[in-house]
Amino acid sequence: MNARYQLITSLGVVLLLLGSCLRHEGQDGERFFRTWEEIVASDTLYVGTGTSPLSFFLYRGQPLGVEYQKALSFTDKHGLELSIAISHSTDSLMQWLREGKIDLIISPQPMTKHNVDSLKFCGSIETSALVLVQRQSDHPVRRLSELEGKQLYTTTDAALRLRARQIVSEIGAKDLQIITVDTLGVEDLIEAVANTGSIHYALADERLAHAFAQYHPNLDVATRVSVPIRYGWVTRRDNSELAGRIDSFFIGKDAEERHLKLMQSQQWRHYFAPSPHLSKPGGKIISPYDHLFREAADKLGWDWSMLAAIAYCESTFHADVIGWSGARGLMGIMPRTGQAYGVTPEQLLEPEYSIQVAVALLTDLYREFADISDPYDRYALTLASYNAGLGHVQDARRLARKHGKDPCRWQGSVREYLRLKSTPAYYDDPVVKYGYVRGTETINYVDNIMSMSATYRAHAQK
């Protein structure tokens, strides 16, 4: 487990790990919050969160997310470790906070009257509304009444569905059709508006919509369809000292928020960028590293073209590249993964070491699917694990099994449930251990590798 964070996935583990920090109890057994001095003395800040693209998610085993990065920046500044407790329920997070099992909730909470009266908001307060996602046109919808006679798409997200029903009531619509899609996440729905002609209007969180609009210039996300709501981190109402430290860091005179926002924005844009179109080099020579791929493939037992395709998708054959997520080198290896195989971050920028780690990782992942007899399915699940992380693929297999599908098949089974793991109804499912992932990205990755590998083999045989 990485020393920088602890991933906690069950209440039992939370109680075990956090029990030692519950030092204050009243005579009636009520637990109180930890003081700042106690937090510093323990060297650890315990925070709670859900998994979502806005808060916290795992990518290739690496914890990411805007709120997570903010929390990590705060703990780094104060020389603390960051311990993450995950729950799919806001009620559970609130209970942990009341009982002193966590110090802070970093999943942004709405500043409702009840929350303001019972909790202490702290740090930078974000304002967001719901917006109408539509394509750029000469006559965009700017008033809700103009939705009459149209189809408005939403996901199963409770806030989106509620607002859609309210719109129908507010405008007295007689011919506004609300279509709830339970097989797409909000991100996929936004991309469908941008890339297809079948969905013209959708509801989305303003922050998410604006992130996608940066990469889809044909999108119009300027029409707000709800009042702005303020969101922020929360701690216990009586924990003014911790709240003050957080306020000082994010909004005080010495705040580093401007730099932090720039860092977050870069990560955010890259994660939600559409998958680039990958051109395929031709000729018998695919790359300057063909001889290394061929040698390594003999150890792996795969065709060398598969390694070449992975390298192109990860780095376009640039050995010194460092990706937005921190993945390094020719084969896109995360530094922590490299260290697990005895290779330093600096060595990952050398082709030989990068390929060495990739082969070792692919070998271990391939073994994880020894129960799968079909070679195509086994390759696909291995590649998906290489891209998104083994945990997310195992989640998708558990979902497939739960819904009566074959967990050993990629097409029509694991592939579909990996895509659905960007939808709250699925990434909040009790069988899911690793939460949110943008599965569409991983599906495209596997498809590209398979297609490109076949193309490379054909070119090399000419």
Side-chain angles (χ1 to χ4, degrees), residues 94-138:
M94 292 298 178
Q95 180 179 348
W96 293 348
L97 186 65
R98 286 192 300 269
E99 296 178 350
K101 297 181 175 72
I102 56 175
D103 304 303
L104 181 72
I105 297 175
I106 63 171
S107 290
Q109 301 299 308
M111 296 186 72
T112 62
K113 183 179 185 307
H114 175 268
N115 283 346
V116 170
D117 290 343
S118 60
L119 300 165
K120 187 77 171 180
F121 281 82
C122 53
S124 54
I125 302 299
E126 303 290 340
T127 300
S128 186
L130 298 181
V131 297
L132 183 69
V133 180
Q134 58 189 315
R135 286 195 181 195
Q136 296 275 2
S137 71
D138 294 334

Short mmCIF file of all heavy atoms in Angstrom, two decimals, residues 94-138:
data_model
loop_
_atom_site.label_atom_id
_atom_site.label_comp_id
_atom_site.label_asym_id
_atom_site.label_seq_id
_atom_site.Cartn_x
_atom_site.Cartn_y
_atom_site.Cartn_z
N MET A 94 -21.66 11.33 6.72
CA MET A 94 -22.08 12.21 7.80
C MET A 94 -22.00 11.51 9.16
O MET A 94 -21.60 12.11 10.16
CB MET A 94 -23.51 12.70 7.55
CG MET A 94 -23.65 13.62 6.35
SD MET A 94 -22.70 15.15 6.56
CE MET A 94 -23.05 15.95 4.98
N GLN A 95 -22.36 10.24 9.19
CA GLN A 95 -22.28 9.49 10.44
C GLN A 95 -20.83 9.35 10.89
O GLN A 95 -20.52 9.53 12.08
CB GLN A 95 -22.90 8.11 10.27
CG GLN A 95 -22.86 7.26 11.54
CD GLN A 95 -23.50 5.90 11.35
OE1 GLN A 95 -24.16 5.64 10.35
NE2 GLN A 95 -23.27 5.01 12.29
N TRP A 96 -19.92 9.03 9.97
CA TRP A 96 -18.50 8.93 10.31
C TRP A 96 -17.99 10.26 10.88
O TRP A 96 -17.20 10.28 11.82
CB TRP A 96 -17.69 8.54 9.09
CG TRP A 96 -17.95 7.16 8.59
CD1 TRP A 96 -18.65 6.17 9.22
CD2 TRP A 96 -17.53 6.61 7.33
NE1 TRP A 96 -18.70 5.04 8.45
CE2 TRP A 96 -18.02 5.27 7.28
CE3 TRP A 96 -16.81 7.10 6.27
CZ2 TRP A 96 -17.79 4.45 6.19
CZ3 TRP A 96 -16.57 6.27 5.18
CH2 TRP A 96 -17.05 4.96 5.14
N LEU A 97 -18.45 11.37 10.26
CA LEU A 97 -18.01 12.69 10.72
C LEU A 97 -18.53 12.97 12.13
O LEU A 97 -17.79 13.43 13.00
CB LEU A 97 -18.50 13.77 9.75
CG LEU A 97 -17.99 15.19 10.01
CD1 LEU A 97 -16.48 15.27 9.82
CD2 LEU A 97 -18.69 16.18 9.09
N ARG A 98 -19.80 12.68 12.37
CA ARG A 98 -20.39 12.91 13.69
C ARG A 98 -19.69 12.09 14.76
O ARG A 98 -19.49 12.55 15.89
CB ARG A 98 -21.88 12.56 13.68
CG ARG A 98 -22.77 13.56 12.96
CD ARG A 98 -24.23 13.29 13.27
NE ARG A 98 -24.66 11.96 12.86
CZ ARG A 98 -25.16 11.68 11.67
NH1 ARG A 98 -25.31 12.64 10.76
NH2 ARG A 98 -25.54 10.45 11.37
N GLU A 99 -19.30 10.86 14.42
CA GLU A 99 -18.70 9.96 15.40
C GLU A 99 -17.19 10.12 15.52
O GLU A 99 -16.55 9.41 16.29
CB GLU A 99 -19.05 8.51 15.04
CG GLU A 99 -20.54 8.22 15.12
CD GLU A 99 -20.88 6.80 14.70
OE1 GLU A 99 -19.98 6.11 14.16
OE2 GLU A 99 -22.04 6.40 14.89
N GLY A 100 -16.61 11.02 14.73
CA GLY A 100 -15.18 11.25 14.83
C GLY A 100 -14.32 10.25 14.11
O GLY A 100 -13.11 10.20 14.31
N LYS A 101 -14.90 9.45 13.24
CA LYS A 101 -14.11 8.47 12.49
C LYS A 101 -13.35 9.12 11.34
O LYS A 101 -12.38 8.55 10.85
CB LYS A 101 -15.02 7.35 11.98
CG LYS A 101 -15.68 6.54 13.09
CD LYS A 101 -16.55 5.43 12.52
CE LYS A 101 -17.12 4.56 13.64
NZ LYS A 101 -18.17 5.26 14.40
N ILE A 102 -13.82 10.24 10.88
CA ILE A 102 -13.10 11.04 9.89
C ILE A 102 -13.09 12.49 10.37
O ILE A 102 -13.95 12.90 11.17
CB ILE A 102 -13.74 10.95 8.48
CG1 ILE A 102 -15.21 11.36 8.52
CG2 ILE A 102 -13.57 9.57 7.89
CD1 ILE A 102 -15.88 11.41 7.14
N ASP A 103 -12.12 13.26 9.88
CA ASP A 103 -12.02 14.67 10.25
C ASP A 103 -12.76 15.58 9.30
O ASP A 103 -13.14 16.70 9.68
CB ASP A 103 -10.54 15.09 10.28
CG ASP A 103 -9.69 14.23 11.19
OD1 ASP A 103 -10.03 14.15 12.38
OD2 ASP A 103 -8.71 13.63 10.70
N LEU A 104 -12.96 15.11 8.07
CA LEU A 104 -13.39 16.02 7.01
C LEU A 104 -14.06 15.23 5.90
O LEU A 104 -13.68 14.09 5.63
CB LEU A 104 -12.12 16.72 6.46
CG LEU A 104 -12.23 17.75 5.37
CD1 LEU A 104 -12.85 19.04 5.90
CD2 LEU A 104 -10.84 18.05 4.79
N ILE A 105 -15.07 15.82 5.27
CA ILE A 105 -15.67 15.24 4.06
C ILE A 105 -15.27 16.11 2.88
O ILE A 105 -15.52 17.32 2.88
CB ILE A 105 -17.20 15.18 4.17
CG1 ILE A 105 -17.63 14.27 5.31
CG2 ILE A 105 -17.82 14.71 2.85
CD1 ILE A 105 -19.13 14.25 5.55
N ILE A 106 -14.62 15.49 1.88
CA ILE A 106 -14.16 16.27 0.72
C ILE A 106 -15.06 16.10 -0.50
O ILE A 106 -14.84 16.78 -1.51
CB ILE A 106 -12.70 15.94 0.36
CG1 ILE A 106 -12.57 14.47 -0.07
CG2 ILE A 106 -11.77 16.27 1.51
CD1 ILE A 106 -11.19 14.14 -0.65
N SER A 107 -16.04 15.21 -0.45
CA SER A 107 -17.06 15.21 -1.50
C SER A 107 -17.89 16.48 -1.30
O SER A 107 -18.51 16.64 -0.25
CB SER A 107 -17.98 13.99 -1.39
OG SER A 107 -17.31 12.81 -1.71
N PRO A 108 -17.89 17.40 -2.25
CA PRO A 108 -18.55 18.69 -2.02
C PRO A 108 -20.02 18.51 -1.63
O PRO A 108 -20.77 17.81 -2.30
CB PRO A 108 -18.42 19.39 -3.38
CG PRO A 108 -17.19 18.78 -3.99
CD PRO A 108 -17.23 17.35 -3.57
N GLN A 109 -20.39 19.17 -0.53
CA GLN A 109 -21.76 19.10 -0.03
C GLN A 109 -22.50 20.40 -0.33
O GLN A 109 -21.91 21.49 -0.29
CB GLN A 109 -21.75 18.86 1.49
CG GLN A 109 -21.05 17.58 1.90
CD GLN A 109 -21.70 16.35 1.30
OE1 GLN A 109 -22.90 16.14 1.42
NE2 GLN A 109 -20.89 15.52 0.62
N PRO A 110 -23.79 20.32 -0.65
CA PRO A 110 -24.54 21.55 -0.96
C PRO A 110 -24.77 22.39 0.28
O PRO A 110 -25.00 21.86 1.38
CB PRO A 110 -25.86 21.00 -1.51
CG PRO A 110 -26.01 19.66 -0.87
CD PRO A 110 -24.62 19.11 -0.76
N MET A 111 -24.72 23.71 0.12
CA MET A 111 -24.89 24.62 1.25
C MET A 111 -26.38 24.90 1.46
O MET A 111 -26.85 26.02 1.32
CB MET A 111 -24.08 25.90 1.02
CG MET A 111 -22.59 25.67 0.97
SD MET A 111 -21.61 27.19 0.87
CE MET A 111 -21.82 27.86 2.53
N THR A 112 -27.11 23.86 1.80
CA THR A 112 -28.51 24.00 2.17
C THR A 112 -28.59 24.59 3.58
O THR A 112 -27.61 24.59 4.33
CB THR A 112 -29.23 22.66 2.15
OG1 THR A 112 -28.62 21.80 3.13
CG2 THR A 112 -29.12 22.01 0.78
N LYS A 113 -29.76 25.09 3.95
CA LYS A 113 -29.92 25.66 5.29
C LYS A 113 -29.61 24.62 6.36
O LYS A 113 -28.93 24.92 7.35
CB LYS A 113 -31.34 26.20 5.47
CG LYS A 113 -31.56 26.89 6.83
CD LYS A 113 -32.95 27.42 6.95
CE LYS A 113 -33.11 28.22 8.25
NZ LYS A 113 -32.70 27.49 9.46
N HIS A 114 -30.09 23.39 6.16
CA HIS A 114 -29.83 22.35 7.14
C HIS A 114 -28.34 22.09 7.28
O HIS A 114 -27.82 21.98 8.41
CB HIS A 114 -30.55 21.06 6.73
CG HIS A 114 -30.25 19.91 7.64
ND1 HIS A 114 -29.21 19.02 7.38
CD2 HIS A 114 -30.83 19.51 8.80
CE1 HIS A 114 -29.17 18.12 8.36
NE2 HIS A 114 -30.14 18.38 9.22
N ASN A 115 -27.61 21.99 6.16
CA ASN A 115 -26.18 21.73 6.23
C ASN A 115 -25.41 22.89 6.85
O ASN A 115 -24.48 22.68 7.63
CB ASN A 115 -25.64 21.42 4.83
CG ASN A 115 -25.97 20.02 4.37
OD1 ASN A 115 -26.38 19.17 5.16
ND2 ASN A 115 -25.81 19.77 3.08
N VAL A 116 -25.80 24.11 6.51
CA VAL A 116 -25.11 25.27 7.08
C VAL A 116 -25.32 25.35 8.59
O VAL A 116 -24.41 25.72 9.34
CB VAL A 116 -25.60 26.57 6.39
CG1 VAL A 116 -25.09 27.81 7.13
CG2 VAL A 116 -25.14 26.60 4.94
N ASP A 117 -26.51 24.97 9.05
CA ASP A 117 -26.81 25.01 10.48
C ASP A 117 -26.12 23.90 11.26
O ASP A 117 -25.82 24.07 12.45
CB ASP A 117 -28.32 24.91 10.71
CG ASP A 117 -29.07 26.16 10.27
OD1 ASP A 117 -28.41 27.20 10.10
OD2 ASP A 117 -30.31 26.08 10.09
N SER A 118 -25.85 22.76 10.61
CA SER A 118 -25.36 21.60 11.35
C SER A 118 -23.90 21.26 11.07
O SER A 118 -23.31 20.45 11.80
CB SER A 118 -26.22 20.37 11.01
OG SER A 118 -26.18 20.09 9.62
N LEU A 119 -23.29 21.85 10.05
CA LEU A 119 -21.92 21.53 9.66
C LEU A 119 -21.09 22.80 9.55
O LEU A 119 -21.63 23.92 9.50
CB LEU A 119 -21.91 20.79 8.32
CG LEU A 119 -22.67 19.47 8.25
CD1 LEU A 119 -22.86 19.06 6.79
CD2 LEU A 119 -21.93 18.38 9.02
N LYS A 120 -19.79 22.61 9.46
CA LYS A 120 -18.87 23.73 9.25
C LYS A 120 -18.29 23.62 7.84
O LYS A 120 -17.54 22.69 7.54
CB LYS A 120 -17.74 23.69 10.28
CG LYS A 120 -16.81 24.90 10.24
CD LYS A 120 -17.46 26.09 10.90
CE LYS A 120 -16.47 27.25 11.08
NZ LYS A 120 -17.10 28.41 11.72
N PHE A 121 -18.66 24.53 6.96
CA PHE A 121 -18.10 24.54 5.61
C PHE A 121 -16.73 25.22 5.65
O PHE A 121 -16.51 26.17 6.41
CB PHE A 121 -19.03 25.27 4.65
CG PHE A 121 -20.19 24.44 4.20
CD1 PHE A 121 -21.32 24.31 4.99
CD2 PHE A 121 -20.14 23.76 2.98
CE1 PHE A 121 -22.39 23.53 4.59
CE2 PHE A 121 -21.20 22.97 2.58
CZ PHE A 121 -22.33 22.85 3.38
N CYS A 122 -15.83 24.75 4.80
CA CYS A 122 -14.48 25.29 4.83
C CYS A 122 -13.81 25.16 3.47
O CYS A 122 -14.24 24.37 2.62
CB CYS A 122 -13.64 24.59 5.90
SG CYS A 122 -13.63 22.79 5.79
N GLY A 123 -12.77 25.95 3.29
CA GLY A 123 -12.03 25.91 2.02
C GLY A 123 -12.73 26.70 0.94
O GLY A 123 -13.63 27.50 1.19
N SER A 124 -12.30 26.46 -0.29
CA SER A 124 -12.89 27.17 -1.42
C SER A 124 -14.29 26.65 -1.69
O SER A 124 -14.51 25.44 -1.73
CB SER A 124 -12.01 27.01 -2.67
OG SER A 124 -11.78 25.64 -2.94
N ILE A 125 -15.23 27.55 -1.85
CA ILE A 125 -16.62 27.21 -2.12
C ILE A 125 -16.86 27.33 -3.62
O ILE A 125 -16.62 28.37 -4.22
CB ILE A 125 -17.58 28.12 -1.34
CG1 ILE A 125 -17.30 28.03 0.16
CG2 ILE A 125 -19.03 27.75 -1.64
CD1 ILE A 125 -17.46 26.65 0.76
N GLU A 126 -17.31 26.24 -4.22
CA GLU A 126 -17.60 26.22 -5.65
C GLU A 126 -19.09 26.44 -5.88
O GLU A 126 -19.93 26.01 -5.08
CB GLU A 126 -17.18 24.88 -6.26
CG GLU A 126 -15.72 24.52 -6.07
CD GLU A 126 -14.79 25.39 -6.88
OE1 GLU A 126 -15.26 26.00 -7.87
OE2 GLU A 126 -13.60 25.47 -6.53
N THR A 127 -19.40 27.12 -6.95
CA THR A 127 -20.79 27.35 -7.33
C THR A 127 -21.07 26.63 -8.64
O THR A 127 -20.31 26.77 -9.60
CB THR A 127 -21.09 28.84 -7.49
OG1 THR A 127 -20.83 29.50 -6.26
CG2 THR A 127 -22.55 29.06 -7.88
N SER A 128 -22.12 25.84 -8.66
CA SER A 128 -22.45 25.10 -9.87
C SER A 128 -23.95 25.04 -10.04
O SER A 128 -24.71 25.11 -9.06
CB SER A 128 -21.87 23.69 -9.82
OG SER A 128 -22.06 23.02 -11.05
N ALA A 129 -24.37 24.91 -11.27
CA ALA A 129 -25.79 24.76 -11.60
C ALA A 129 -25.91 23.64 -12.61
O ALA A 129 -24.91 23.07 -13.05
CB ALA A 129 -26.34 26.07 -12.17
N LEU A 130 -27.12 23.30 -12.97
CA LEU A 130 -27.34 22.39 -14.07
C LEU A 130 -27.48 23.20 -15.35
O LEU A 130 -28.05 24.30 -15.34
CB LEU A 130 -28.59 21.54 -13.84
CG LEU A 130 -28.57 20.64 -12.61
CD1 LEU A 130 -29.87 19.84 -12.53
CD2 LEU A 130 -27.38 19.71 -12.63
N VAL A 131 -26.97 22.68 -16.44
CA VAL A 131 -27.04 23.39 -17.72
C VAL A 131 -27.63 22.49 -18.79
O VAL A 131 -27.66 21.26 -18.64
CB VAL A 131 -25.65 23.90 -18.18
CG1 VAL A 131 -25.08 24.89 -17.20
CG2 VAL A 131 -24.70 22.72 -18.39
N LEU A 132 -28.09 23.12 -19.84
CA LEU A 132 -28.58 22.40 -21.01
C LEU A 132 -27.41 22.21 -21.97
O LEU A 132 -26.78 23.19 -22.39
CB LEU A 132 -29.70 23.19 -21.68
CG LEU A 132 -30.36 22.52 -22.89
CD1 LEU A 132 -31.17 21.31 -22.45
CD2 LEU A 132 -31.24 23.52 -23.64
N VAL A 133 -27.11 20.99 -22.30
CA VAL A 133 -26.05 20.69 -23.26
C VAL A 133 -26.70 20.53 -24.63
O VAL A 133 -27.61 19.72 -24.82
CB VAL A 133 -25.30 19.40 -22.88
CG1 VAL A 133 -24.20 19.10 -23.90
CG2 VAL A 133 -24.71 19.52 -21.49
N GLN A 134 -26.26 21.34 -25.58
CA GLN A 134 -26.80 21.30 -26.93
C GLN A 134 -25.68 21.64 -27.91
O GLN A 134 -24.61 22.09 -27.51
CB GLN A 134 -27.95 22.30 -27.08
CG GLN A 134 -27.56 23.74 -26.75
CD GLN A 134 -28.73 24.68 -26.70
OE1 GLN A 134 -29.60 24.67 -27.57
NE2 GLN A 134 -28.77 25.54 -25.68
N ARG A 135 -25.93 21.43 -29.17
CA ARG A 135 -24.93 21.79 -30.17
C ARG A 135 -25.02 23.28 -30.50
O ARG A 135 -26.08 23.90 -30.37
CB ARG A 135 -25.15 20.99 -31.46
CG ARG A 135 -24.73 19.54 -31.35
CD ARG A 135 -24.63 18.92 -32.72
NE ARG A 135 -24.25 17.52 -32.67
CZ ARG A 135 -23.83 16.83 -33.72
NH1 ARG A 135 -23.74 17.44 -34.91
NH2 ARG A 135 -23.50 15.57 -33.61
N GLN A 136 -23.88 23.83 -30.92
CA GLN A 136 -23.87 25.22 -31.38
C GLN A 136 -24.82 25.35 -32.58
O GLN A 136 -24.83 24.50 -33.47
CB GLN A 136 -22.46 25.62 -31.81
CG GLN A 136 -21.43 25.62 -30.70
CD GLN A 136 -21.41 26.92 -29.92
OE1 GLN A 136 -22.20 27.82 -30.19
NE2 GLN A 136 -20.53 27.01 -28.95
N SER A 137 -25.60 26.43 -32.58
CA SER A 137 -26.52 26.67 -33.70
C SER A 137 -26.88 28.14 -33.75
O SER A 137 -26.54 28.91 -32.83
CB SER A 137 -27.80 25.83 -33.54
OG SER A 137 -28.59 26.32 -32.48
N ASP A 138 -27.56 28.52 -34.81
CA ASP A 138 -27.99 29.91 -34.94
C ASP A 138 -29.14 30.24 -34.01
O ASP A 138 -29.40 31.41 -33.71
CB ASP A 138 -28.41 30.20 -36.39
CG ASP A 138 -27.24 30.13 -37.36
OD1 ASP A 138 -26.10 30.36 -36.91
OD2 ASP A 138 -27.47 29.83 -38.55
#
